[in-house]
């Protein structure tokens, strides 16, 4: 059957041969675009398990029979760039070494140009000056890489680049060998520029589809299933694995600026702002697609470290949201500060806070009193501030598809950013344990209305913004926006449970929308007890069927 999925892998025979392997190699020879190499190195290093190195491999090392790379590496990654220089420079012995490496238990990962290079044959831009047809020496993917999957491609520019809508299976399903049984439960927008659809041969060896172009029907060969044209797939090769992906799951919004299609130049940092805004709004799910690709290549993955500075400062609340979390600890993040500068639209949407009319929001935004006085509907966000720092909770999770989707849906008004953290000084610890090490984590940070609109879609953004006065992130520093009592109560209780140093950090380091008044000063003037009482009243008024909200906002 054409395009039939791979059966479950029996005991993964290649894993035993790969146990001593401890590196992922990214090819940087002729044909590899420097920006793709840099993005691939950085992205993979973010997600692999501790103890696995990620480094470049040159043409000279790849082709050297005496070089030990084939015994040490878990995977060889051929990044974006140009397929034909790969073919010209690696034909013969280098390709034979790559195939032997994979058959002996290694993995091949081909991204965009690397997907063409790793397929049995290529059909690119037929009928144009860019037309390429031909067989490929490696031939890992048993079919044809047909491109470009989207029109308008040009070498040397980002013309034809799109934020492709891609549905994919979760990395957990891939790791357990059950992805062939799974529906694509995740969707993202990933940078795409000139990559292929993957069309398997009729009656060819079984493949394992991993991702599909959700808005792109297979125009080449009558359809590749019900989910759209195949964007990524894996195949067993001897004792190893080959994974090919037509999009760029390694490319974040900033990495795609300028010079696409393997160009080595950066032409216009302001080009395609809407494309970059869309990509930035989907950073979290785009990273999940990369994890699926790596998991299919049997590359061990690290847990995702989630950072929280407000609602999940309490371990009890964090465990409700992420039941499988491990290594909950308190850390310090430098260069960021907390601000109550946007409405808690989620609480407004579910009716726990009153909606705000456009007129009231406009008046409050200019510091004018409204019929109801100040608007106590604000939530926390984090924004860059060079000389600031704040205490955060950090915890590690291996998110299931459901947890990832719920997390992204709940926080989609924000940008999910990767930020560095460091251990707390010993005087801030409350558990008597030793300081944990530093690292990087994923944190919800302030966005703008354009980014939120791209993340939510125009219709949902309008629904969200309408209930909070027409704007989520556009509130001025003069506005009468103030913390929502229910949410503020939860943050205070969580910080107090974490200890005096954390409570002090929250009170002294958190600012109101004016970026001048600290939370501690606001509570002093506003009557903290009255605010807490109001928050308690709102919490007690939560319906019985809102059990999760009752626990989460219980501190």
């Amino acid at each position: 059957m054409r395009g039939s999925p791979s059966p479950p892998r029996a005991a993964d025979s290649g894993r035993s041969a790969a146990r001593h392997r401890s590196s992922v190699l990214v090819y940087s020879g002729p044909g590899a675009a420097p920006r793709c190499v840099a993005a691939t190195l950085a992205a993979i290093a973010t997600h692999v398990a501790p103890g696995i190195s990620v480094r470049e491999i040159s043409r000279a090392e790849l082709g050297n029979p005496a070089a030990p790379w084939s015994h040490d590496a878990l995977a060889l990654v051929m990044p974006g760039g140009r397929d034909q220089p790969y073919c010209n420079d690696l034909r013969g012995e280098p390709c034979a070494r790559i195939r032997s490496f994979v058959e002996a238990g290694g993995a091949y990962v081909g991204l965009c140009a690397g997907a063409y290079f790793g397929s049995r044959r290529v059909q690119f831009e037929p009928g144009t000056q860019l037309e390429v047809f031909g067989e490929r020496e490696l031939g890992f993917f048993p079919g044809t890489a047909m491109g470009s999957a989207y029109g308008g491609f040009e070498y040397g520019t980002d013309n034809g680049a799109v934020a492709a809508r891609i549905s994919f299976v979760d990395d957990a399903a891939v790791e357990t060998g059950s992805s062939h049984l799974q529906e694509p439960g995740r969707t993202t927008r990933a940078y795409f520029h000139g990559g292929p659809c993957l069309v398997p041969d009729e009656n060819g060896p079984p493949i394992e589809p991993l991702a599909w172009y959700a808005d792109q029907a297979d125009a080449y060969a009558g359809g590749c299933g019900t989910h759209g044209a195949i964007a990524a797939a894996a195949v067993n090769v001897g004792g190893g694995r080959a994974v090919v992906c037509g999009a760029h799951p390694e490319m974040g919004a900033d990495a795609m600026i300028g010079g696409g299609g393997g160009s080595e130049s950066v032409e216009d940092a302001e080009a395609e702002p809407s494309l970059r805004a869309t990509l930035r709004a989907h950073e979290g799910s785009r990273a999940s697609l990369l994890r699926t690709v790596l998991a299919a290549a049997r590359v061990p993955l690290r847990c995702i470290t989630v950072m929280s500075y407000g609602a999940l400062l309490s371990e009890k609340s964090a465990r409700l949201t992420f039941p499988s979390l491990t290594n909950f600890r308190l850390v310090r993040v430098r260069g960021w500060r907390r601000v109550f500068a946007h409405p808690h639209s989620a609480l407004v949407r579910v009716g726990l806070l009153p909606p705000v009319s456009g007129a009231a929001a406009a008046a409050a935004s200019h510091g004018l009193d409204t019929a109801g006085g100040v608007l106590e509907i604000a939530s926390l966000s984090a924004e860059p501030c060079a000389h600031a720092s704040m205490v955060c909770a950090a915890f590690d999770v291996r998110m299931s598809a459901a947890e990832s989707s719920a997390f992204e849906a709940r926080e989609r008004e924000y940008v999910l950013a990767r930020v560095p953290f460091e251990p707390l000084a010993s005087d801030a610890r409350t558990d008597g344990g030793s300081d944990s090490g530093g690292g990087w984590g994923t944190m919800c940070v302030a966005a703008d209305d354009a980014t939120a609109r791209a993340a939510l879609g125009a219709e949902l953004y309008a629904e969200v913004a309408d209930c909070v006065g027409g704007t989520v992130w556009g509130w001025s520093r003069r506005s009468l926006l103030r913390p929502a009592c229910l949410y503020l109560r939860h943050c205070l209780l969580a910080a107090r449970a974490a200890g005096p140093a954390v409570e002090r950090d929250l009170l002294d380091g958190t600012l109101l929308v004016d970026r001048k008044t600290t939370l501690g000063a606001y509570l002093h003037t506003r009557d903290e007890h009255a605010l807490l009482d109001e928050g308690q009243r709102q919490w007690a008024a939560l319906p019985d069927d809102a059990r999760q909200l009752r626990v989460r906002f219980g501190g």
Side-chain angles (χ1 to χ4, degrees):
M1 172 178 155
R2 177 181 176 276
S4 60
S6 297
R9 301 190 295 277
D12 276 344
S13 59
R15 288 191 188 276
S16 60
R19 283 175 185 161
H20 67 285
R21 303 175 186 270
S22 60
S23 62
V24 175
L25 307 179
V26 178
Y27 183 68
S28 59
R35 70 167 180 166
C36 292
V37 173
T40 303
L41 288 166
I44 293 178
T46 295
H47 293 289
V48 295
I52 296 175
S53 64
V54 183
R55 67 173 181 87
E56 295 181 29
I57 184 170
S58 66
R59 164 63 176 83
E61 182 182 2
L62 186 69
N64 181 0
W69 69 265
S70 60
H71 303 292
D72 301 335
L74 284 159
L76 171 67
V77 182
M78 297 297 291
R82 301 196 184 201
D83 158 70
Q84 287 185 300
Y86 289 168
C87 297
N88 296 336
D89 215 52
L90 297 176
R91 66 163 55 98
E93 180 59 27
C95 274
R97 290 203 76 200
I98 295 172
R99 174 164 280 280
S100 295
F101 160 70
V102 175
E103 291 176 342
Y108 173 93
V109 178
L111 304 175
C112 196
Y116 287 112
F117 183 58
S119 296
R120 182 169 292 170
R121 69 189 67 83
V122 167
Q123 178 180 321
F124 181 72
E125 293 295 295
T128 73
Q129 293 182 336
L130 302 177
E131 179 178 279
V132 176
F133 284 88
E135 303 288 320
R136 290 296 179 262
E137 196 168 346
L138 290 177
F140 290 138
F141 175 73
T144 303
M146 293 183 170
S148 170
Y150 294 79
F153 173 79
E154 290 183 10
Y155 282 115
T157 76
D158 273 319
N159 291 340
V162 298
R165 190 162 66 92
I166 294 176
S167 59
F168 60 101
V169 296
D170 189 68
D171 63 278
V174 173
E175 286 188 319
T176 59
S178 62
S179 62
H180 66 294
L181 302 174
Q182 301 291 320
E183 292 292 306
R186 308 290 306 283
T187 301
T188 190
R189 292 275 184 174
Y191 179 70
F192 174 94
H193 194 231
C197 298
L198 302 167
V199 182
D201 288 343
E202 293 280 355
N203 303 314
I207 67 165
E208 184 179 334
L210 302 171
W212 296 260
Y213 299 111
D215 54 2
Q216 189 77 349
D218 182 355
Y220 300 103
C224 288
T226 60
H227 306 306
I230 297 174
V235 62
N236 295 328
V237 181
R241 296 275 279 173
V243 184
V244 289
C245 179
H248 283 277
E250 81 288 2
M251 297 280 276
D254 295 327
M256 56 72 59
I257 295 172
S263 169
E264 300 183 7
S265 65
V266 177
E267 296 187 342
D268 182 5
E270 296 303 318
E272 299 293 347
S274 62
L275 172 59
R276 286 188 283 113
T278 301
L279 294 172
R280 187 167 287 111
H282 292 83
E283 288 283 83
S285 56
R286 186 269 308 165
S288 295
L289 173 59
L290 177 61
R291 289 174 68 87
T292 289
V293 169
L294 294 173
R298 300 175 182 162
V299 175
L301 301 175
R302 72 166 67 236
C303 292
I304 295 173
T305 298
V306 176
M307 312 287 295
S308 176
Y309 44 83
L312 304 188
L313 273 173
S314 160
E315 184 171 357
K316 179 177 69 173
S317 182
R319 285 197 178 280
L320 178 69
T321 305
F322 299 105
S324 60
L325 75 83
T326 59
N327 195 23
F328 185 93
R329 69 273 196 200
L330 297 171
V331 299
R332 183 166 296 281
V333 176
R334 298 193 182 277
W336 295 85
R337 65 184 180 188
R338 298 181 191 88
V339 291
F340 279 100
H342 76 289
H344 201 311
S345 59
L347 292 182
V348 176
R349 290 201 306 274
V350 299
L352 298 177
L353 293 175
V356 181
S357 70
S365 184
H366 288 84
L368 303 176
D369 198 7
T370 65
V374 297
L375 298 177
E376 292 180 341
I377 60 171
S379 182
L380 278 175
S381 60
E383 64 183 19
C385 182
H387 303 296
S389 73
M390 61 183 183
V391 174
C392 294
F395 48 89
D396 303 329
V397 290
R398 292 298 304 271
M399 292 189 196
S400 67
E403 286 176 322
S404 289
S405 297
F407 176 56
E408 291 162 12
R410 186 174 63 252
E411 312 295 357
R412 56 188 165 181
E413 294 163 14
Y414 297 86
V415 169
L416 295 179
R418 278 184 49 78
V419 299
F421 62 85
E422 61 189 50
L424 279 182
S426 58
D427 64 350
R429 294 194 61 84
T430 61
D431 59 6
S434 60
D435 289 335
S436 63
W440 290 75
T442 297
M443 186 169 77
C444 297
V445 305
D448 54 41
D449 282 340
T451 301
R453 187 179 294 107
L456 295 166
E459 183 175 344
L460 182 55
Y461 173 80
E463 176 186 329
V464 170
D466 284 351
C467 72
V468 291
T471 178
V472 176
W473 294 101
W475 293 74
S476 78
R477 297 191 178 204
R478 296 183 299 167
S479 76
L480 297 178
L481 194 66
R482 298 295 183 265
C485 294
L486 174 62
Y487 178 73
L488 175 57
R489 173 182 177 275
H490 168 66
C491 293
L492 288 169
L493 292 177
R496 286 171 182 171
V502 179
E503 181 182 7
R504 184 171 62 250
D505 183 84
L506 180 72
L507 295 175
D508 296 345
T510 303
L511 299 178
L512 268 56
V513 68
D514 62 4
R515 275 69 166 185
K516 295 179 181 179
T517 306
T518 67
L519 178 59
Y522 171 67
L523 291 175
H524 180 72
T525 60
R526 176 61 174 82
D527 186 347
E528 176 181 351
H529 294 295
L531 279 174
L532 290 176
D533 287 346
E534 175 60 19
Q536 170 69 22
R537 186 195 65 77
Q538 293 176 357
W539 177 78
L542 290 171
D544 291 338
D545 58 1
R547 177 181 176 276
Q548 189 176 55
L549 284 173
R550 289 181 66 87
V551 175
R552 186 178 182 199
F553 287 102

